[in-house]
Amino acid sequence: MPLYVDRGAPKLWRKICAETSIEVSLVVENWKPLLAGLIFQYIHGLAARGIHYLHRPGPTLQDIGFFLLPELGEDKAYISETLFTFIFCSFVLWTFHPFILQYKKIYTALVWCRVLAYLVACQILRIVTFYSTHLPGPNYHCHQGSKLARLPPPESAIELLVINFSRGVNYGCGDLIFSSHMIFTIVFVRTYQKCIKQFAWLLAVIQSLLILASHKHYTVDVVVAWYTVNLVAFYIDKKMPELPDRSTGLTSLPPLPVSREKDSRGMEEHHKLLSGVSVEISN
């Protein structure tokens, strides 16, 4: 066992260094779309907070999903958020798997460029729709009489600009059509590789049902998300170039920081590590 650790640990470290070098170069090359996508997540949060100020609680609308599905109740509504958190976290971890695992077919930076493009396009459409018509929120904290149904008027501009994302996700009201939870879920599922896509689609369907059963959204919010996100992703895929296959590699690879006498050997290992081929080092 000590021999395995001694030989394996340096190899893993070289693999992480090789992957980091190529990903850093991709981030430098694509920093503008990456930064724009991250900034828009904040803008989307501002828009969702803004509609909460305008929200007017009222009677819950008639909804076929609420009629057909058994209600989870306020005490079990966390089940829906738990599944969403699992989908979100597992996807983020999956995008970074090339830094560790031998089997790798994606470039993390390029995947996040595509994911953020999907999210921004869908979120722009979402902001337009939920500001167009204000609907009474079906969630329990959005009902008449709840202290959380309406936000008190802001006391300063700073209060408008500071966002508590966790509170906004769990206790927002008014940002209904269409579901942000389903935007993230469907985008993530579409991005997964084929080997786990079938299971991911199953989770997406379960997530849809749990959102309705917990009364976080109306059925229309979930239905619109399903076809809008897929249509947006289809359009973006047509406009953006295909994600490169790791088996073909990139046009240029940044060299690893190795000593001069081992330059040629280091570059060979670098290429093998990036392509998922193990490298044995003789003593």
Side-chain angles (χ1 to χ4, degrees):
M1 180 63 71
L3 179 61
Y4 173 81
V5 173
D6 290 340
R7 291 175 61 86
K11 185 187 300 183
L12 177 61
W13 176 245
R14 290 195 304 274
K15 184 188 303 182
I16 294 174
C17 289
E19 196 66 34
T20 300
S21 65
I22 192 68
E23 291 292 347
V24 167
S25 67
L26 289 172
V27 169
V28 171
E29 183 179 349
N30 298 278
W31 70 270
K32 290 182 179 179
L34 286 170
L35 180 61
L38 292 175
I39 291 175
F40 196 84
Q41 299 312 299
Y42 170 73
I43 296 174
H44 176 254
L46 283 180
R49 181 177 175 84
I51 198 65
H52 198 167
Y53 283 111
L54 303 175
H55 177 253
R56 297 295 181 268
T60 302
L61 304 179
Q62 294 291 324
D63 190 274
I64 188 171
F66 296 170
F67 176 76
L68 294 176
L69 294 174
E71 185 177 352
L72 288 177
E74 189 171 2
D75 58 330
K76 296 181 180 179
Y78 70 89
I79 297 176
S80 175
E81 287 301 321
T82 301
L83 178 59
F84 177 76
T85 302
F86 170 77
I87 294 173
F88 187 96
C89 294
S90 62
F91 177 80
V92 172
L93 292 176
W94 174 79
T95 62
F96 286 93
H97 79 270
F99 286 83
I100 303 296
L101 300 181
Q102 291 272 359
Y103 176 76
K104 46 193 178 180
K105 294 178 68 68
I106 65 169
Y107 294 102
T108 302
L110 298 183
V111 165
W112 277 106
C113 281
R114 185 66 58 97
V115 166
L116 288 170
Y118 291 154
L119 293 178
V120 169
C122 292
Q123 288 166 341
I124 290 174
L125 296 175
R126 180 174 190 260
I127 292 171
V128 172
T129 54
F130 68 62
Y131 269 104
S132 299
T133 301
H134 303 175
L135 301 177
N139 213 336
Y140 307 102
H141 63 268
C142 299
H143 294 172
Q144 188 72 44
S146 171
K147 295 181 180 180
L148 300 174
R150 295 181 62 183
L151 290 179
E155 298 179 357
S156 65
I158 296 179
E159 185 178 343
L160 283 173
L161 298 176
V162 176
I163 303 175
N164 185 330
F165 281 99
S166 176
R167 183 178 178 83
V169 169
N170 293 308
Y171 297 107
C173 295
D175 56 327
L176 295 173
I177 300 177
F178 43 98
S179 170
S180 181
H181 284 65
M182 290 310 303
I183 290 177
F184 280 92
T185 299
I186 297 173
V187 165
F188 291 168
V189 172
R190 288 185 60 93
T191 310
Y192 272 130
Q193 295 174 7
K194 292 181 180 180
C195 59
I196 52 179
K197 251 182 181 173
Q198 292 182 350
F199 176 68
W201 280 121
L202 176 62
L203 291 183
V205 172
I206 295 174
Q207 177 71 69
S208 302
L209 299 177
L210 289 177
I211 287 174
L212 297 177
S214 60
H215 289 198
K216 293 182 180 297
H217 279 277
Y218 294 108
T219 303
V220 64
D221 306 337
V222 175
V223 171
V224 172
W226 269 98
Y227 64 73
T228 301
V229 176
N230 281 295
L231 288 174
V232 167
F234 177 79
Y235 176 80
I236 290 178
D237 285 342
K238 291 293 184 181
K239 295 296 181 180
M240 295 183 70
E242 290 288 334
L243 289 174
D245 189 347
R246 290 200 69 129
S247 60
T248 60
L250 296 178
T251 56
S252 62
L253 296 174
L256 283 174
V258 295
S259 57
R260 291 182 178 179
E261 62 271 15
K262 296 182 179 180
D263 278 348
S264 59
R265 183 183 181 187
M267 284 302 297
E268 181 181 355
E269 294 178 13
H270 183 41
H271 282 268
K272 290 182 178 180
L273 287 169
L274 287 176
S275 61
V277 179
S278 61
V279 180
E280 294 296 337
I281 306 297
S282 58
N283 294 327

